[in-house]
Amino acid sequence: MRVADAIRLSQSGVFSQKMRSFLTALGIAVGIASVVLLTSIGEGIHQFVLSEFTQFGTNLMGINPGVTKTHGTPGAMISNIRPLTIEDSLALKEIPEILGVVPLVQGNGPVEYKEKTRRTYIFGVGHKVPEVWQMRVMGGRFLPDDDPRSARPFAVLGSRVREELFKSDNPLGKLVRIGGERYRIIGIMESKGQMLGFDLDDAVYIPVARALSMFNRESLMEIDILYMKGISTDQVIKKVKTLLTGRHGTEDYTITTQEQMLDVLGSVLNILTLAVGALGGISLFVGAIGILTIMTIAVQERTSEIGLLRAIGAGRGQILLLFIGEAITLSAIGGFAGLLLGMGGAFILSIAVPSLPTHTPILYVFYAELLAVFIGLLSGVVPAWRASRMDPVEALRSE
Amino acid sequence: MTDKGILIKGLKKRYGKGDTAVDALKGVDMQVSPGEVVGLIGPSGSGKSTLLKCLGAVIEPTEGRMTLGNKVIYDNGWKVNDLRALRRDKIGFIFQAPYLIPFLDVTDNVALLPMLAGKPNADSRKLAVELLQALDVAHRAKAMPSELSGGEQQRVAIARGLVNRPPVILADEPTAPLDSERALAVIRILNHMAHQYETAIIVVTHDEKIIPTFKRIYHIRDGVTYEEAGEGRVFE
């Protein structure tokens, strides 16, 4: 039999039983729609989280005190970890591939202006924050390039703090008390929004040495580095390690690149996408059982039809092909409807709940349709095989 | 080499082995010439179904010889290679019920067989339409089976049996569900087609209405056939 005729016969079989075919295809459609919708949400969250992290750039690395690797040294021994210092950050500036260094100390404290007080994040940083963290100053300027060890008491406000404390007043040049000390406001940051629920605008930026004193710390929490694009990350790491190990005598710090962080985050988020997709897969499994049931009933109902086809010379392969063709047609139609439902659902969801990001990659759509066809194939094989084994004369006489 | 007419000689069929073996056919002889319509009559359990299956190349006989014209189909254990293709190309079936595929129109139902053989759809439909014209149902060519009367359905089934111009047609109780007038009409059509296409037609029947129409009748009893001259009444 010609392929076109086989397709036409299979399609005729499907469309002759409209209600039954509709309900069967609906089962697959709901399954595929669930898979597409849930993976769209999973993928949307994936992309959202990654974009939240990459908003600071990708040619970044952070240095933290201490090591994450386990060594054989007994824990009872005196720690030989040297803290990260402002001097370390100044030394790192000398590496030619490094464009900017931000020493960082972070804490929480009150910011007071007249009768108003707001508890907010306080970042003790250097002057390179706008370049390294890719943040922009909306008004005034960022902290000046003072000697970080004896910087002047200047502060830069996040846009949220400015709104809360000054409303529509211009805060530039005004004095505020941060952690009980007086600071002059010299700049306001442009709004950066939230990152994973953390309000980046609800913060103030002060010189790092003053933050160390404010939080009674002797060392930095982190040093962030922006390096040149197009330069090998490994090359930069090597130079940073040579410098810091030379200064500390040992490798008592951990370097985390943005790439490493995104890799780890990406694999976690992939598992999340897979897990939500698997939940949708349960619906798809139910749909597959539906096709199996309907095709089994169809074979029983159509005994005479199969007997006739066999009697007039249809081969077992041709019968198999026709019934599998019907199952595949049903599942392909159901799958396509499911894609439309799932993508439509994702679109409506993104409008109705803007904070819940959705994204339907075209590759997933292709895979979902392939999956639907594969399920049709699997569900159709057993009934089709039974049909193909029927004795033609007995099948006709049993009617 | 012609494949017209059917000749079977000493056909035997045994089911099972040893003590439980059953001899359904014990030596059947039969000859049907091109253009001839013969009756095959026998009570239940006489071996009629088994003979029908052997003639239709659905099962193989244990012994004996069967030829279509000069072409040997079975010969004492030897058989032609592809029985399915033989069934498709050389043997037409007409059943007690029309068994039309409900979701195909009349033309597609008739064209089904050449389609299965891989003929282009247009050619298959052309063959079908020719036969529908010959059987006077061409005006229902686009109708669905459910829209046809019983007589029309049976004529469509006859067209399907003839569409590949098979040298042999096996008609299994083709008039059972029909009244006398329609039953005789079907026999008239079969005789006409047998004559026109030089087809050998074997009609298995219990139908008293049509038995007098055969010129020759084979009786089968306990797996053995006996030939008898019929009245050939309708066409005298």
Side-chain angles (χ1 to χ4, degrees), chain B residues 31-217:
Chain B
Q31 181 179 10
V32 188
S33 305
E36 192 182 15
V37 180
V38 302
L40 177 64
I41 301 167
S44 294
S46 60
K48 210 169 49 188
S49 289
T50 302
L51 178 56
L52 194 69
K53 286 182 184 181
C54 288
L55 292 171
V58 177
I59 60 171
E60 297 155 35
T62 316
E63 276 181 50
R65 182 181 167 90
M66 172 172 150
T67 54
L68 290 183
N70 297 329
K71 186 178 170 68
V72 179
I73 308 303
Y74 307 119
D75 192 4
N76 289 314
W78 180 91
K79 67 175 175 68
V80 74
N81 266 341
D82 190 348
L83 286 178
R84 183 175 69 80
L86 179 88
R87 205 157 65 225
R88 187 186 63 208
D89 301 332
K90 304 291 181 192
I91 300 167
F93 288 88
I94 299 166
F95 303 98
Q96 182 173 343
Y99 295 126
L100 301 178
I101 308 281
F103 53 81
L104 297 181
D105 68 15
V106 163
T107 312
D108 270 346
N109 260 287
V110 178
L112 195 57
L113 221 161
M115 255 195 275
L116 286 172
K119 278 194 180 150
N121 186 255
D123 294 356
S124 304
R125 288 178 72 88
K126 193 178 162 201
L127 277 175
V129 169
E130 277 173 25
L131 268 169
L132 290 172
Q133 280 167 346
L135 288 161
D136 203 21
V137 274
H139 62 291
R140 310 306 308 270
K142 298 283 180 194
M144 299 306 280
S146 59
E147 297 162 2
L148 304 179
S149 69
E152 285 173 331
Q153 287 189 9
Q154 196 58 315
R155 273 185 280 167
V156 174
I158 292 171
R160 183 183 59 204
L162 288 164
V163 72
N164 264 2
R165 306 286 190 266
V168 176
I169 284 186
L170 303 174
D172 185 11
E173 304 278 7
T175 59
L178 304 178
D179 58 31
S180 292
E181 196 184 330
R182 285 184 176 150
L184 290 173
V186 166
I187 293 301
R188 203 173 292 124
I189 290 167
L190 289 179
N191 272 282
H192 176 70
M193 292 295 162
H195 181 70
Q196 187 172 348
Y197 299 118
E198 291 189 300
T199 308
I201 300 180
I202 299 167
V203 180
V204 178
T205 188
H206 282 111
D207 190 349
E208 296 292 338
K209 303 187 289 284
I210 63 166
I211 289 173
T213 67
F214 300 116
K215 288 179 183 168
R216 283 197 308 133
I217 297 169

Side-chain angles (χ1 to χ4, degrees), chain A residues 100-136:
Chain A
V101 177
V102 173
L104 173 67
V105 172
Q106 182 190 343
N108 194 289
V111 182
E112 299 162 55
Y113 175 68
K114 294 184 177 170
E115 71 283 3
K116 289 181 184 171
T117 303
R118 181 172 182 81
R119 229 181 147 75
T120 186
Y121 287 102
I122 299 167
F123 289 104
V125 291
H127 71 286
K128 282 285 191 183
V129 163
E131 291 97 316
V132 176
W133 290 0
Q134 300 199 356
M135 299 174 86
R136 285 203 295 212

Side-chain angles (χ1 to χ4, degrees), chain A residues 24-79:
Chain A
T24 313
L26 187 65
I28 287 290
V30 170
I32 289 290
S34 307
V35 170
V36 169
L37 183 59
L38 289 171
T39 47
S40 295
I41 293 171
E43 189 60 23
I45 291 172
H46 188 148
Q47 290 207 348
F48 171 74
V49 172
L50 288 186
S51 69
E52 290 286 287
F53 278 89
T54 50
Q55 67 178 307
F56 299 109
T58 50
N59 48 337
L60 268 182
M61 62 176 70
I63 305 166
N64 298 89
V67 284
T68 54
K69 288 176 188 165
T70 305
H71 293 279
T73 321
M77 285 180 70
I78 296 166
S79 170

